[in-house]
Every structure is written in structure tokens, then in C-alpha cells.
């Protein structure tokens, strides 16, 4: 890699402005200064940089698609091929750039389109690490804009100034795969957990998994990069072909994977792709099939443990023998244990943190490197303690806690980015493991590296009853008294009520019964990793069974979809007769898959005028179709489906009693 970033005189700089007219003008050839560009869009998500419909591309063709989902003033002004055709070399955005999915397709599409540098007020952790890993420069220095426009060459040392030493070394090496082959061929465990003062549970687990390398510190502190050994590494079909393509290009064939017995492969996104509004009739559909075939070839070539969700026709023919589901939900159901470390190619990998393990999402290059070296890159984070006081009132659930946290000003400003969220307190201890998993799962939306809960008797119960595992908690599996936290967030759970998050961002939360105007509902969706668990389906059933008992069904104009998170959840519901209640209420029942949450199945909107109430975890523009998505808890989603408008279950019950 060269020592400077030199773009020549008059480089094309794309300002992702908060004005569609400004964006269109740049695409037409106008060039602006930072001041002339005006306000920049905050919270540009990876769903907007690379919408799900084009994730089947994992080679040079990705360069046609950056920003094709970028939404401003209700428009999507950037067409396929526009960035490359206009010759843009730099992108400038606002706060929390790259939030959401762990898809490395986003920085890869930018780089392949000709973008050399992304400047933003702040970056989400996974996006920036993915950019590092492929050699795409990132910076929070807006002073670079004017310097580049003057034709100044920027020293690479300046671009990585302030980054941790490992991040700087990866960038200067030209990416993680090249770095890994230079420095990670011989890694070994570090000395041990150590005992130099009180530690959080997260710190204890990381110390037990720390790898000694020639380029990382013996005992990394907050902000320093290191490598760790994962007990489990998992990947799903959106990433496997891309990882294989990278590895074969860099290392040839055959590949030797490090400890392949600890790798799990999932097909969990695409079983309903033929019915997905985003893909149905699309010329990209053959690409999706090719992507799945690439995943299966890699699994077969290396004899990997694999789970594949089935289409409805396949599920009917299967007679219940297939064990599958959404990857991170499956990890909690079958693999992760307290004290372990799990890395997966999905931002919702922290789901398993509910069991008292460290679980975090990584990008494709991170996983590809981990496949061949056994080393997973980690920048040591600070830890936030979320103390849940009191008791949740009837009708409120863990999803309402998550939506409350997301609307806190400090979190909205990015105060949780890259941090660990340690959940504790009396209200937390009263929650089941399924409900705890809702909290740890949604640390992805909070911007965190992961969420974690200290394992306790409830954890032991879950492992025994759900998995038949007799687990004995070890004395060290707790945070020490006096452990250091960056911040303690205290929540009076007794004051909470059912929440919703307005369309556009999960941080747009407010109590559902405080809405100023009625909000009609066209689609109601219950499912996803966040809300496809057993106890979520207990809530769906409780509300719908109450409705049937009181003469209520879902109105004909409302489409209701219920999608199991795993086959075990499906079998639980069938055994309890829930499926009959769901059908009687008017729901379409869907087999396990990520489905509408990732805009790849029934339940996604098909028209911009449609309004969805959904139990999924994020509602970025375009995430579940072109319509407007409100987030809510399982009970609120079902109550709203019955009412035909947003409402809490308690309000629906009161209205029925008064009628």
C-alpha cells in the first residue's frame, strides 16, 4: 500500500446530504464544498448502502450498487451504476454511519465503485472494522474535505491517527487477509485469565480466550486491538460465497480450515426468497440461487456442521426431522454455553449473550480470516451496566425495555457504539432466558459490540429443560464487586409501558398509548430472531386466544404473519395447539426463516403507502419493504392486528369491556 492517499486535483466527493435535490445535483455533475452541501444524513444504514436484494453479489459486480437504498425526502435518488459512472472517490455522511447489519457488502460495494475514503461524524463498529479489513479508508476528520478538494495528498499515517495500533496495522497492510497471512500463522493462547483487580464478566471471558500474537499487547486495554479464540464460529448463506471467493483468491485451493469442527453453517435467510416482494420476478433471483449453491459447496468441501431452513413444500414433506432456524437463535438453542465466546456473521449474534457468554458479530473478511487462522479480531470495548430496577408492569416486556433504551438521548447520539451492555438488576433476574435474549439481541440496535447477562439459576434451568444440558455454574462466572464500568444506566422498569418505535429508526420510541393520532395497520408481523422464540409465541397466542374468546378476529384488510424462529419453536407451538388458534384468528403461519425482517419473505410491504406493525428489531428505510414499519412487542403487535390500528393489549381489553 502507498504511504499517501492521492486523489489528484478536483476529486469527486459525494455528500450524502439531507436534501434529495443536493444529491441529485451531485449525480448530475455539480460539485459542492462541505458548507454548500448543507446538513448531512445521519444514521445511514447498511440496508441503505446495499439493500438486501443485491446481497447475492459478492464479487466485482457489487460496485454497481452502493447507496441504491439511500433514502432522503422520501426518495431514493441514487440508481444502480450512478456512483461509479460519476467517478466519485470520497463519500461524506453524518452521525452513526453504517449502522445496522454486519454485511461487508456495504464497504465492498463502495470500494468497488471507486470510493477510496468515507468521512463521517461517527461510524458504527462493524461497518468501520469491515472497511478496515478490505482496505477502505475511513475518517471522522471533516477538515480532510477541503484539503482533498485542493488536490492535497493525505498521508496514510494521518488517516489512521487515533485508531488503535491493530486497526492501523490492518489498514496499512491493505486488509485483514493479507495481515493475517503475515502475522497470524502461529497464534497460541495467552498466559491465562490473570487476577489484577476486579473484572467484569466480559473481561474475564475475553482473557480466557485471548491469543498471543507478535503484533498485539499481552493484556489489551480498552480501545486496543487483539485476537481471541472462538468456541464457535458461524456463518450464513449471505456471507459464505463471499468468504470463499476471498479465500480462494488470496490462498488458492485447497483451503485448510482451522478447527472446522467448531464452525457451524446456516441457511436461514432464503427459504422464502421466491415469495419475497423484494425478489419475486427479479432478475437477481438466479443470483440468490447461485449464492445458496456457493454456500452448500463450501459446506460440502469442508464437511462443516450445517442447518438449512426448508421451504413450506419441503417442510411438509420432511415430517419434522429437519432441525433448523435463524442462526443466532439456533446458537442459543443448541451450541453456546456460559463462559464461551461465539463469533458469527450477523449483527444479532449477541442473542446468545443471554446465556452468559460473549457473542458478537463480525464481517465476511473477519470470518474468512478466522476460518484459516483461528483468530477473531476484537477491539477491547468499554462496558456499560444496565441496571433494571423494580418490576415490569403487566403488559410490558423486554422489547419495551429495549425500545426505551434506544430512545435515550445518549444512546441515540451513539453513546453505546462499540460498547458491551451488561444487563442486571432485580427486573432482569425476573426475566426468562427468552426475554433476556431479546435484550442482548437488540444490543445490535443500541450500537453495542454485545450484550451479556450473568448466568444464574434461570440459565441452568433453560439449559436443562431446552437442551438437556446439566450445566454447573463456576464461581468466576460473574462480574466482580468493584469492576469498572464506563457508565451505569438505571431503568425504573415499573414506570415503563408498552412502546412503539416510529418508522425510520429503532430509536424513535414512545409509549403506544400516547400516540397523538390513530395509526392504521395494514400488515402485522410476528417473528424474527428477536421475536420468534417460545415465549414470544406464548404472547402471540395469549392475545389472539383472548380475541377469539371475545369475538375478535383480524380484520380482512389486515394481513397477519407469524413466523417461527426455529423448528423447536414450531414444534412447541404445534404441541400446545397454538397453530389452530393462529389459523382461526386469520394468521398465515410461516416456517422458520429470517423472512420479512430481512426483506426476504412474506410479511414485507409491497407499497410505500402500507403501514406495518412488527416485532422485528429494526425499521430502517427499506428494511422490510417500501412501506412504513412501526416496531413493537409481540403482545402489542397482536393487539394492533386485532384492532386494525396501533394499540396496546390493555387498551384493546378496556375498549372491549366498554363496548
Amino acid at each position: 500500500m502507498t504511504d499517501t492517499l492521492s486523489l489528484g486535483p478536483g476529486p469527486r466527493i459525494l455528500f450524502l446530504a439531507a436534501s434529495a435535490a443536493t444529491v441529485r445535483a451531485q449525480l448530475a455533475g455539480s460539485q459542492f464544498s462541505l458548507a454548500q452541501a448543507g446538513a448531512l444524513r445521519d444514521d445511514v444504514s447498511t440496508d441503505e448502502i446495499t439493500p438486501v436484494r443485491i446481497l447475492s453479489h459478492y464479487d466485482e459486480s457489487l460496485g454497481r450498487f452502493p447507496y441504491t437504498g439511500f433514502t432522503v425526502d422520501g426518495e431514493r435518488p441514487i440508481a444502480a451504476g450512478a456512483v461509479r459512472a460519476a467517478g466519485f472517490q470520497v463519500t461524506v455522511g453524518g452521525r452513526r454511519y453504517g449502522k445496522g447489519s454486519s454485511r461487508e457488502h456495504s464497504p465492498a460495494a463502495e470500494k468497488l465503485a471507486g470510493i477510496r475514503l468515507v468521512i463521517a461524524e461517527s461510524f458504527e463498529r462493524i461497518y468501520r472494522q469491515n472497511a478496515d479489513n478490505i482496505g477502505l479508508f475511513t475518517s471522522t476528520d471533516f477538515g480532510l474535505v477541503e484539503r482533498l478538494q485542493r488536490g492535497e495528498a493525505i498521508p496514510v499515517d494521518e488517516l489512521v491517527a487515533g485508531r488503535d495500533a491493530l486497526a492501523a496495522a490492518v489498514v496499512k497492510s491493505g486488509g485483514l487477509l493479507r495481515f493475517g497471512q503475515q502475522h497470524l500463522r502461529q497464534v497460541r493462547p495467552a498466559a491465562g485469565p490473570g487476577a489484577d483487580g476486579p473484572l467484569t464478566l466480559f473481561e474475564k471471558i475475553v482473557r480466557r480466550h485471548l491469543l498471543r500474537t507478535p503484533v498485539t499487547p499481552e493484556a489489551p486495554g480498552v480501545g486496543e486491538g487483539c485476537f481471541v479464540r472462538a468456541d464457535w464460529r458461524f456463518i450464513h448463506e449471505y456471507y459464505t460465497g463471499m468468504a470463499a471467493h476471498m479465500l480462494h483468491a488470496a490462498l488458492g485451493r485447497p483451503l485448510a480450515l482451522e478447527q472446522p469442527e467448531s464452525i457451524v453453517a446456516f441457511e436461514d435467510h432464503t427459504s422464502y426468497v421466491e415469495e419475497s416482494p423484494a425478489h419475486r420476478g427479479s432478475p437477481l433471483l438466479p443470483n440468490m440461487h447461485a449464492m445458496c449453491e456457493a454456500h452448500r459447496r463450501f459446506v460440502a468441501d469442508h464437511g462443516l456442521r450445517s442447518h438449512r431452513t426448508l421451504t413450506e413444500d419441503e417442510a411438509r414433506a420432511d415430517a419434522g426431522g429437519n432441525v433448523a432456524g435463524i442462526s443466532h437463535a439456533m446458537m442459543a438453542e443448541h451450541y453456546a454455553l456460559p463462559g464461551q465466546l461465539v463469533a458469527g456473521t450477523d449483527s444479532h449474534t449477541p442473542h446468545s449473550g443471554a446465556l452468559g457468554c460473549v457473542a458478537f458479530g463480525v464481517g465476511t473478511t473477519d470470518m474468512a480470516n478466522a476460518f484459516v487462522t483461528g483468530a477473531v479480531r476484537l477491539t477491547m470495548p468499554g462496558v456499560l451496566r444496565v441496571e433494571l430496577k423494580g418490576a415490569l408492569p403487566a403488559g410490558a416486556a423486554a422489547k419495551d425495555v429495549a425500545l426505551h433504551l434506544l430512545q435515550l438521548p445518549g444512546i441515540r447520539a451513539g453513546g453505546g457504539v462499540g460498547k458491551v451492555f451488561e444487563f442486571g438488576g432485580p427486573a432482569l433476574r425476573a426475566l426468562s432466558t427468552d426475554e433476556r435474549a431479546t435484550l442482548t439481541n437488540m444490543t445490535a440496535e443500541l450500537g453495542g459490540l454485545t450484550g451479556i447477562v450473568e448466568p444464574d439459576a434461570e440459565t441452568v434451568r433453560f439449559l436443562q429443560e431446552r437442551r438437556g444440558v446439566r450445566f454447573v455454574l463456576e464461581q468466576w462466572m460473574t462480574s466482580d464487586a468493584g469492576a469498572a464500568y464506563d457508565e451505569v444506566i438505571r431503568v425504573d422498569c415499573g414506570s415503563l409501558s408498552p412502546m412503539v418505535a416510529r418508522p425510520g429508526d429503532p430509536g424513535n420510541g414512545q409509549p403506544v398509548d400516547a400516540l397523538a393520532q390513530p395509526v392504521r395497520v395494514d400488515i402485522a408481523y410476528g417473528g424474527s430472531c428477536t421475536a420468534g422464540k417460545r415465549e414470544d409465541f406464548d404472547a402471540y397466542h395469549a392475545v389472539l386466544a383472548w380475541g377469539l374468546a371475545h369475538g375478535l378476529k383480524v380484520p380482512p384488510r389486515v394481513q397477519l404473519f407469524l413466523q417461527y424462529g426455529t423448528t423447536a419453536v414450531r414444534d412447541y407451538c404445534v404441541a400446545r395447539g397454538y397453530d389452530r388458534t393462529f389459523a382461526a384468528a386469520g394468521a398465515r403461519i410461516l416456517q422458520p426463516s429470517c423472512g420479512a425482517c430481512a426483506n426476504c419473505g412474506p410479511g414485507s410491504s409491497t407499497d410505500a403507502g402500507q403501514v406495518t406493525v412488527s416485532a422485528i428489531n429494526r425499521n430502517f428505510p427499506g428494511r422490510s419493504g417500501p412501506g412504513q414499519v412501526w416496531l413493537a412487542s409481540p403482545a402489542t403487535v397482536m393487539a394492533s392486528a386485532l384492532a386494525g390500528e396501533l394499540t396496546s393489549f390493555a387498551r384493546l381489553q378496556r375498549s372491549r369491556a366498554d363496548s
Side-chain angles (χ1 to χ4, degrees):
M1 174 171 280
T2 61
D3 294 331
T4 61
L5 174 65
S6 181
L7 304 180
R12 295 300 314 278
I13 298 179
L14 175 61
F15 296 96
L16 295 179
S19 160
T22 300
V23 175
R24 287 197 303 270
Q26 294 175 89
L27 294 169
S30 296
Q31 300 199 61
F32 297 115
S33 67
L34 180 60
Q36 290 169 334
L40 300 169
R41 252 290 311 275
D42 293 327
D43 303 314
V44 175
S45 72
T46 52
D47 284 272
E48 294 178 84
I49 301 171
T50 47
V52 69
R53 64 182 179 275
I54 58 89
L55 296 192
S56 59
H57 294 273
Y58 50 81
D59 54 18
E60 288 70 16
S61 61
L62 265 175
R64 294 190 60 240
F65 298 103
Y67 317 124
T68 48
F70 175 73
T71 303
V72 62
D73 292 337
E75 302 179 32
R76 293 184 181 174
I78 304 177
V83 174
R84 179 185 282 168
F88 289 111
Q89 298 159 284
V90 179
T91 297
V92 183
R95 185 180 61 222
R96 293 192 69 178
Y97 187 90
K99 68 190 303 183
S101 166
S102 61
R103 62 189 69 166
E104 193 169 309
H105 301 71
S106 294
E110 291 170 307
K111 186 177 181 184
L112 289 165
I115 300 298
R116 303 284 305 284
L117 169 67
V118 179
I119 301 171
E121 184 178 338
S122 61
F123 293 93
E124 291 290 294
R125 177 194 67 85
I126 296 181
Y127 170 87
R128 197 172 201 189
Q129 186 160 310
N130 286 343
D132 293 346
N133 289 345
I134 62 171
L136 176 65
F137 293 114
T138 60
S139 177
T140 57
D141 181 4
F142 282 91
L144 294 175
V145 173
E146 185 178 348
R147 293 169 60 189
L148 288 167
Q149 288 177 326
R150 291 198 303 263
E152 185 176 335
I154 309 298
V156 171
D157 283 338
E158 186 175 338
L159 291 173
V160 299
R163 304 293 305 281
D164 71 87
L166 179 56
V170 169
V171 172
K172 293 172 76 171
S173 295
L176 183 62
L177 282 180
R178 186 177 299 172
F179 176 91
Q181 293 307 299
Q182 292 171 350
H183 301 292
L184 301 177
R185 302 301 294 175
Q186 303 263 332
V187 295
R188 60 188 190 281
D196 54 347
L199 299 172
T200 65
L201 176 59
F202 171 84
E203 291 167 327
K204 291 180 181 181
I205 295 173
V206 168
R207 288 188 178 211
R208 282 170 161 76
H209 292 79
L210 195 64
L211 292 173
R212 185 190 301 275
T213 81
V215 290
T216 52
E218 291 282 323
V222 172
E224 292 186 301
C226 62
F227 289 95
V228 292
R229 170 189 59 82
D231 296 284
W232 297 104
R233 291 159 289 166
F234 73 85
I235 194 166
H236 64 67
E237 74 267 44
Y238 272 140
Y239 297 92
T240 313
M242 190 177 191
H245 178 76
M246 289 176 173
L247 288 170
H248 293 144
L251 305 177
R253 299 172 185 264
L255 292 172
L257 303 190
E258 183 73 19
Q259 295 184 315
E261 68 277 5
S262 67
I263 298 171
V264 190
F266 294 93
E267 279 188 62
D268 60 354
H269 281 65
T270 52
S271 59
Y272 278 94
V273 70
E274 304 285 351
E275 284 194 65
S276 166
H279 297 95
R280 189 168 53 233
S282 166
L284 296 178
L285 197 54
N287 290 39
M288 301 296 290
H289 296 153
M291 178 189 75
C292 292
E293 285 304 315
H295 170 89
R296 293 171 193 172
R297 281 197 303 274
F298 189 80
V299 167
D301 287 348
H302 299 284
L304 300 181
R305 193 186 314 243
S306 177
H307 299 274
R308 181 169 77 88
T309 55
L310 303 179
T311 66
E312 286 195 1
D313 288 343
E314 289 172 329
R316 279 191 288 269
D318 173 67
N322 186 52
V323 176
I326 301 170
S327 55
H328 22 295
M330 288 287 290
M331 292 305 297
E333 276 192 5
H334 294 275
Y335 297 107
L337 290 171
Q340 290 189 335
L341 191 145
V342 178
T345 54
D346 198 289
S347 58
H348 291 108
T349 300
H351 190 103
S352 293
L355 297 177
C357 65
V358 168
F360 58 90
V362 300
T364 312
T365 303
D366 272 310
M367 188 57 71
N369 178 69
F371 279 169
V372 294
T373 67
V376 179
R377 181 183 167 194
L378 172 68
T379 300
M380 283 296 289
V383 182
L384 302 177
R385 171 81 176 180
V386 180
E387 191 75 15
L388 302 180
K389 301 286 190 178
L392 282 171
K399 182 65 167 287
D400 301 305
V401 176
L403 294 178
H404 168 78
L405 290 169
L406 280 158
Q407 57 84 44
L408 295 176
I411 296 297
R412 286 189 61 95
V417 171
K419 302 292 181 67
V420 174
F421 285 76
E422 178 183 286
F423 295 96
L428 183 284
R429 291 296 166 204
L431 293 178
S432 67
T433 300
D434 276 359
E435 284 283 84
R436 295 174 184 186
T438 297
L439 295 175
T440 58
N441 177 292
M442 290 192 67
T443 55
E445 283 63 55
L446 294 165
L449 168 77
T450 192
I452 192 167
V453 175
E454 295 177 1
D456 58 9
E458 160 58 21
T459 315
V460 173
R461 179 205 65 80
F462 176 91
L463 292 171
Q464 174 64 47
E465 293 183 9
R466 298 282 184 91
R467 293 169 49 178
V469 173
R470 290 187 174 275
F471 191 86
V472 178
L473 295 177
E474 297 181 40
Q475 190 172 3
W476 66 269
M477 292 179 176
T478 183
S479 291
D480 296 330
Y485 297 98
D486 285 8
E487 182 184 357
V488 178
I489 300 173
R490 294 179 172 85
V491 178
D492 176 10
C493 290
S495 68
L496 300 183
S497 60
M499 300 276 290
V500 288
R502 298 187 310 278
D505 194 275
N508 297 332
Q510 67 180 97
V512 61
D513 289 342
L515 291 170
Q517 300 291 332
V519 177
R520 81 171 197 284
V521 168
D522 301 301
I523 301 170
Y525 177 84
S528 81
C529 55
T530 308
K533 307 180 296 297
R534 282 191 189 186
E535 292 186 21
D536 300 315
F537 274 83
D538 288 340
Y540 299 140
H541 179 264
V543 176
L544 293 178
W546 175 89
L548 290 172
H550 289 80
L552 291 178
K553 286 187 178 183
V554 177
R557 67 174 180 82
V558 177
Q559 301 176 68
L560 172 59
F561 300 88
L562 290 171
Q563 187 157 30
Y564 304 117
T566 68
T567 53
V569 174
R570 177 199 63 198
D571 296 345
Y572 167 82
C573 291
V574 170
R576 296 174 73 90
Y578 288 0
D579 56 327
R580 295 191 295 274
T581 300
F582 298 151
R588 179 179 172 188
I589 305 171
L590 300 168
Q591 294 299 309
S593 176
C594 288
C597 179
N599 202 16
C600 52
S604 300
S605 61
T606 57
D607 181 86
Q610 290 178 310
V611 175
T612 298
V613 59
S614 182
I616 64 176
N617 37 48
R618 51 180 61 140
N619 57 348
F620 302 133
R623 173 73 183 182
S624 292
Q628 303 294 299
V629 178
W630 292 74
L631 301 181
S633 71
T636 299
V637 170
M638 291 305 101
S640 300
L642 289 171
E645 64 181 41
L646 293 181
T647 189
S648 67
F649 185 30
R651 173 178 278 189
L652 180 65
Q653 290 173 306
R654 289 195 300 270
S655 69
R656 193 66 179 172
D658 294 339
S659 62

